Each structure stands twice: as C-alpha cells, then as structure tokens.
Amino acid sequence: MYLTRGMFMIDPASLSVSIFLSLVAPIIVIAIRQTVKLHRGEIIQDLAAVFHSATEPESERLIPSFEFVKFKYFVQTATERGQRQDYKLWAWIVAIVPFFLVVSVTSYIGLLFIQGGSLPTVLGQHPSLNLCLVAVLAAFCGGYLTSLRTLTQSIQNFDLSPALLVTTATQILAGIVIAALFAFAVESLFKDVAVAKAEVVAVLSFAIGFFPEAAQRTLVGKSRLRNFKRENLSIYKFTLATPVELIDGIDTEIRGRLSDFHIATTQNLATANPLMLFVETPYGVYQIMDWVAQAQLCASVGPAAMTAMWKLGVRTLFDLERAALDGRSRHRELLEEIGKHLLGLRDEKENFSEEAVIANIQMRLDDPHVHRLRQIYMQVGERIGERHWRFLTRDGIAPRSYDASGIIFQYPNRIRIANPEFDVRPEDCLAVVGGKNNGKVLRVSGVDRTVVTVDNNVVDEEVDASSGAVRLFRITP
C-alpha cells in the first residue's frame, strides 16, 4: 500500500499503539528483572548454607565461583569486600527515552503508511519515498523483534542494564537507516524494473533490521574502501563448533534453554560457572557439575577422542585425572588405551610411554576453569562426608594425606609434625579427620621445619599410635 495523502493528521489509534510498543515493553522487562532478582537472591541465600559454615569466618571459606554469583545479583557480601549497588531508577528512566523516541516515531509513521493515512509534509514527495517507507517499516519490524529477543535473553542472564536499552535503540535506528539507503539505491539503479521490487526490498530490509551488524559487515566487505581491513572468509571453514547435545544428559530442548544464556557449544559450557547456571536454570547443581565436567573433557581432547573413551569409563576430565594420578585407578593397560586417543599411539608396546601420557593429562588439568570446578566438587564432597572426598588421594601432584600419629596440636594455632617430609606450604588448607580437632579445616600461614602455623584455633592434643587414627589432608589443589 502506498501513500496517497500528504496532509499531516493525528491518528489516536496509531498513536496509542506506537506508545504501547515503545513504552510498555521496556517497563515490563524492567519489572520482570526485579522479580527475577528477588527470586534468584533467595536461591543464592539457600545455596550459601552449603558453601559457608556458620562456625567459621566467611573469608576462610571463600569460593570465588559462589562470590561471583552473589556479586552479580547484589546479594549481601562481607563488609570488607563492599556491596555492589543496583541501578538507580533515574538511570532506567533516562535509558527508556531513546528507545521510546526511536520506536514510537518509527512505528507511528509505519502505521499511518499501512493505513494509507497522512504523513508529515516535511517528508516531501520524493519518488523513492514509498519504497523507502516499505524498507523502513520492514527493517523496524526486524529490529524490534531482535530487540525483544535481546531483552528477553537479558532477563534470563540477568544482564539487563540501562546501557542495553540504549544499545537496542541504536541497533533499531541503524537498521532503519541502512534499509532506507538500500531502498533509495534500488530505486535509483532499477528505475525501469517494477516487477516485485517492493516485495524484494521488504524481505531484504527485514533481514537488515534483524541482523544490522551483519548488514554493516556485508556492506563494508563489498565496498572498495582503500586500506580498510576485511575479514578472511576462508577462516570460517576451520571454525566448526561442537554442539552441546554431545554431552550425556543434554537434548535439543535443554540446548534451547541453555542458548538463552549464550551456551550453544561444548566450549561455552566448559567455561561456564556451574553455580551461576544452577541459580539461573531449573537444573540441579550435581547435574550441571557433571555437564560442565563432560564439556571440559570434550574441549580438551575433542569430540572423537571423548566418545572413544566412554567405553573406558572416562566421561569427564576428572575421570581422566583419576586414571593418571590416582593410585587406585591407575593401570598401565588403561593408560595405554587412553594414550592412543590422546597422543595417537600405535599398538606396538615399545611406542607406549606411561610418563608421556601422564604428563599430557597433567597439562590438560592446569586450567582455571578446571580448578574452579574441582574446588566446587571438593566443597560439596566435604559436606557429604570424608569418604566422598574424591580429590584427596591425588598422590604425586597435589592433595596428600598424612597419618598424624606422633604429631602435637598446640593451642592456639600450632601443629608439630613428626614427619618433615609431609608436603605442606603456606596458604594450603589442612582438613583434620579424627581426634579432638576432627572436622576442622585449617589454613596454613607459615611452615618452619616440623612446626606448622595455622590461622585457626586448635585444641591441645598429642596424637600417638594408641590415640586412634588421626589424619591430615591437604585439600588445596
């Protein structure tokens, strides 16, 4: 439908719809954000009961992954670390203004154009005006749908901010401008071609509004601007991504839910914060921990090696760790089979090096995301009980146990160790099992030969063979 009248008139119905589209939508998402904040804040408070002990200072049981979750949702933290404040009301009001102006003006003009109503005479009667309005309306529809999707995802991720509202308004306006220029170019270059011109322009303009950044890259790439850096498109053939459906327990429906949090590949999942996902998704914390551990194995060894090692009992990166570093699980033939997938070893026995396979696995374990997940596993295992402390038997690389016979606990903060070969260093954490200090987790502040100084108070106790089994565990990885 084309413009037939040039006199400007106010259409109350069109004005009401445009105000609704431009004002009600951002107000609704801001209100939902506040509800999500309160609901997830309650979940975080419940989760704190698992990771924080009421009998010990919070600073001594710091879990960085959990602290990031609390910081994101403005949950009360320790006073020495400060308290992050939420956005003020005036910031939201200011951010809504550009979104309101762009959406209300464009939608109002578009509705008048659809109805064949009057438009401001300032637009003039340029012969390309009708086609330009078709392009603007189509680009606005694409941009507005994209903005709704972006705002909805921002609620799920809890990253809705005043700056995001301004960004969405800018993207809608950019799509409209590019589509208008595109329509003028089509009208100028193809004056004599009238077959389906408006339909083609409408479809392409909708795509421009829906993907404004892709449209900008395409225009720059097709241009001949001198000395302007362009993308090497041949690189994209090397950028194949592994979908999260490879992870045991994730189907297409779950992938759709995770995509709202920008998790579409196994690498995205491998680097995700498990506690954050637990707060923001309906899935259980143990389930998410297992998914992330599987994804870390896939990101490290690749999908082919990962699926091949399933039959060996290796599902996660921690299973790979146990196979190499846990004396209860390490076996030469098992390491040989694992080495075939990691190093491409042949069947000949002389080509196998147990040390090389172990060194390769150790190299894969030295990653901040792996250490973070191990810390969460250890914290949960400590709550479940000593017999489930899965990472306290990694003899030869990190946490070691020590038979505490012959040691002396001295109030307030000293431990005299009979065997000086016990590997303990400042900032390590020692878990005490048995005796009067059973269940305490002691942070080491200093070591002087056989005297270990800790930050916590201990109960006087001299441990000998007749006192019963008392063990120390170094639980810092």
Side-chain angles (χ1 to χ4, degrees):
M1 185 179 295
Y2 295 96
L3 181 64
T4 58
R5 290 180 293 176
M7 184 180 298
F8 177 68
M9 295 178 59
I10 298 295
D11 184 358
S14 300
L15 184 62
S16 300
V17 173
S18 63
I19 292 177
F20 177 84
L21 294 175
S22 59
L23 196 58
V24 175
I27 291 177
I28 289 176
V29 297
I30 292 173
I32 296 177
R33 174 190 179 275
Q34 184 65 18
T35 303
V36 169
K37 171 187 170 182
L38 296 177
H39 173 68
R40 293 179 180 175
E42 294 176 354
I43 297 178
I44 294 171
Q45 297 288 1
D46 293 338
L47 195 62
V50 176
F51 293 98
H52 291 161
S53 173
T55 60
E56 297 184 11
E58 183 183 356
S59 59
E60 297 182 3
R61 303 188 59 83
L62 180 65
I63 307 295
S65 301
F66 186 54
E67 295 302 309
F68 292 148
V69 176
K70 296 198 298 181
F71 184 79
K72 180 177 181 180
Y73 286 93
F74 314 101
V75 176
Q76 185 67 42
T77 57
T79 55
E80 62 267 22
R81 293 197 300 276
Q83 174 69 17
R84 180 175 174 233
Q85 300 297 322
D86 202 352
Y87 301 106
K88 303 297 183 181
L89 178 60
W90 64 265
W92 293 111
I93 296 176
V94 172
I96 289 177
V97 172
F99 186 88
F100 171 79
L101 292 177
V102 172
V103 174
S104 61
V105 173
T106 308
S107 60
Y108 181 72
I109 294 176
L111 290 172
L112 290 182
F113 175 65
I114 291 175
Q115 298 173 7
S118 59
L119 293 172
T121 55
V122 72
L123 294 177
Q125 296 296 329
H126 193 279
S128 302
L129 180 59
N130 287 333
L131 188 62
C132 177
L133 288 175
V134 170
V136 167
L137 181 59
F140 168 75
C141 292
Y144 190 76
L145 290 177
T146 301
S147 68
L148 292 181
R149 183 183 64 177
T150 301
L151 294 176
T152 302
Q153 286 184 334
S154 68
I155 295 176
Q156 296 280 12
N157 285 316
F158 198 75
D159 59 359
L160 178 65
S161 65
L164 183 61
L165 288 174
V166 177
T167 300
T168 55
T170 304
Q171 290 178 341
I172 295 175
L173 183 60
I176 291 173
V177 172
I178 295 175
L181 295 176
F182 170 70
F184 276 116
V186 169
E187 182 68 25
S188 301
L189 296 175
F190 305 99
K191 291 182 179 180
D192 300 330
V193 181
V195 179
K197 183 189 298 184
E199 288 79 0
V200 173
V201 168
V203 173
L204 294 178
S205 297
F206 181 86
I208 291 173
F210 203 80
F211 304 105
E213 294 182 357
Q216 295 176 44
R217 290 198 304 268
T218 302
L219 289 176
V220 172
K222 296 297 183 181
S223 68
R224 297 184 178 274
L225 296 176
R226 190 173 182 179
N227 297 329
F228 197 92
K229 183 182 289 187
R230 297 178 177 82
E231 292 182 344
N232 184 0
L233 299 180
S234 62
I235 298 298
Y236 286 102
K237 66 181 180 181
F238 301 108
T239 58
L240 299 178
T242 304
V244 291
E245 282 94 337
L246 179 65
I247 304 302
D248 185 21
I250 297 182
D251 54 21
T252 304
E253 181 180 353
I254 295 178
R255 177 186 179 176
R257 294 294 298 270
L258 294 178
S259 65
D260 290 337
F261 305 93
H262 308 292
I263 297 176
T265 67
T266 53
Q267 193 277 338
N268 300 144
L269 184 58
T271 57
N273 185 340
L275 300 182
M276 192 78 75
L277 281 181
F278 169 69
V279 172
E280 297 179 341
T281 67
Y283 311 114
V285 64
Y286 295 150
Q287 185 179 29
I288 294 173
M289 289 165 58
D290 180 66
W291 289 349
V292 175
Q294 290 185 63
Q296 289 181 352
L297 176 64
C298 183
S300 178
V301 306
M306 175 185 177
T307 54
M309 288 191 292
W310 282 347
K311 62 182 179 181
L312 303 177
V314 178
R315 292 180 63 256
T316 70
L317 194 62
F318 295 139
D319 293 334
L320 195 66
E321 178 180 20
R322 293 172 63 201
L325 306 176
D326 191 339
R328 298 171 300 177
S329 304
R330 186 169 58 228
H331 192 277
R332 179 179 176 84
E333 293 183 1
L334 177 60
L335 286 176
E336 183 177 354
E337 291 298 320
I338 292 175
K340 293 178 181 178
H341 302 297
L342 297 183
L343 305 177
L345 299 177
R346 297 193 299 272
D347 294 334
E348 293 80 357
K349 300 295 183 181
E350 59 271 19
N351 291 329
F352 172 69
S353 171
E354 183 174 346
E355 293 76 14
V357 175
I358 293 176
N360 183 271
I361 294 175
Q362 287 179 325
M363 180 181 64
R364 299 174 188 276
L365 297 173
D366 192 13
D367 183 272
H369 303 293
V370 178
H371 295 323
R372 174 180 64 184
L373 185 61
R374 182 187 289 110
Q375 184 184 36
I376 297 174
Y377 264 92
M378 292 169 60
Q379 192 72 20
V380 172
E382 183 178 332
R383 289 294 186 179
I384 294 177
E386 172 201 349
R387 61 178 297 185
H388 305 289
W389 289 359
R390 181 178 183 182
F391 297 103
L392 298 184
T393 56
R394 289 176 54 214
D395 194 14
I397 182 174
R400 296 183 179 181
S401 62
Y402 173 69
D403 186 352
S405 298
I407 74 169
I408 301 175
F409 291 91
Q410 293 180 333
Y411 179 84
N413 60 349
R414 287 190 175 187
I415 305 175
R416 294 187 177 273
I417 299 178
N419 184 1
E421 296 181 359
F422 179 51
D423 184 16
V424 60
R425 303 173 185 177
E427 301 302 323
D428 285 347
C429 290
L430 297 178
V432 184
V433 178
K436 298 179 180 179
N437 295 282
N438 179 49
K440 290 188 175 182
V441 178
L442 311 175
R443 185 179 296 276
V444 178
S445 59
V447 179
D448 182 11
R449 292 187 175 182
T450 59
V451 177
V452 178
T453 306
V454 296
D455 292 340
N456 318 66
N457 291 336
V458 297
V459 178
D460 287 329
E461 181 182 16
E462 183 174 353
V463 180
D464 52 35
S466 61
S467 300
V470 176
R471 285 181 294 168
L472 295 178
F473 289 93
R474 199 185 91 185
I475 65 174
T476 303

